[in-house]
Amino acid sequence: RDARIWTFLIKGGLAGAAVYVAYDQGLLGSGTQGAEALKKAQETLPPAIQEWTNYLGWEVRAAQVIPLPATPKFDFSFSDSWNKGVHTVMSALSVAPTRACEYTMEGWKYVKDLVK
């Protein structure tokens, strides 16, 4: 039971530290702050990784840069979607009393048939 508490505290501490570092480095800020933090990480990480691998005696091959696929282009109109949703809801509400009456009649007919 004590191990669970310690595990929870350690994981919580690591998660809190990760959020703090992300905030401190500007990753949770505006887009320009995030871009600056990414540029800084791209400049800092490769030499640091190389230093650690040399220290540990590991061999690291140069990574191949794989280009990212182009972002898909799509035509989406928020106002058209909103209007279609409003139209669908209003259409359903306009026929709701008629449908409720029809379903009630069907229900009574079903109950009468069961009672016979």
Side-chain angles (χ1 to χ4, degrees):
R1 185 175 188 167
D2 290 334
R4 285 184 181 172
I5 293 172
W6 282 109
T7 303
F8 176 76
L9 291 176
I10 291 170
K11 288 180 181 179
L14 289 173
V19 170
Y20 173 76
V21 169
Y23 177 77
D24 187 51
Q25 295 299 317
L27 294 175
L28 302 177
S30 67
T32 55
Q33 288 175 330
E36 290 171 8
L38 178 62
K39 184 177 178 184
K40 183 178 173 183
Q42 287 174 335
E43 293 170 354
T44 306
L45 282 178
I49 292 172
Q50 185 64 43
E51 181 181 335
W52 273 98
T53 55
N54 291 341
Y55 177 74
L56 296 173
W58 295 345
E59 180 184 344
V60 177
R61 297 181 194 151
Q64 293 179 349
V65 177
I66 299 172
L68 296 175
T71 55
K73 305 229 186 285
F74 59 94
D75 185 24
F76 177 76
S77 172
F78 182 75
S79 62
D80 289 344
S81 297
W82 176 263
N83 291 341
K84 183 178 179 185
V86 169
H87 178 72
T88 302
V89 168
M90 290 302 144
S91 175
L93 289 176
S94 69
V95 297
T98 305
R99 295 282 187 234
C101 190
E102 289 173 3
Y103 293 148
T104 303
M105 297 288 277
E106 288 177 19
W108 276 113
K109 183 179 176 191
Y110 178 76
V111 170
K112 286 180 183 178
D113 290 343
L114 284 178
V115 173
K116 284 185 186 178

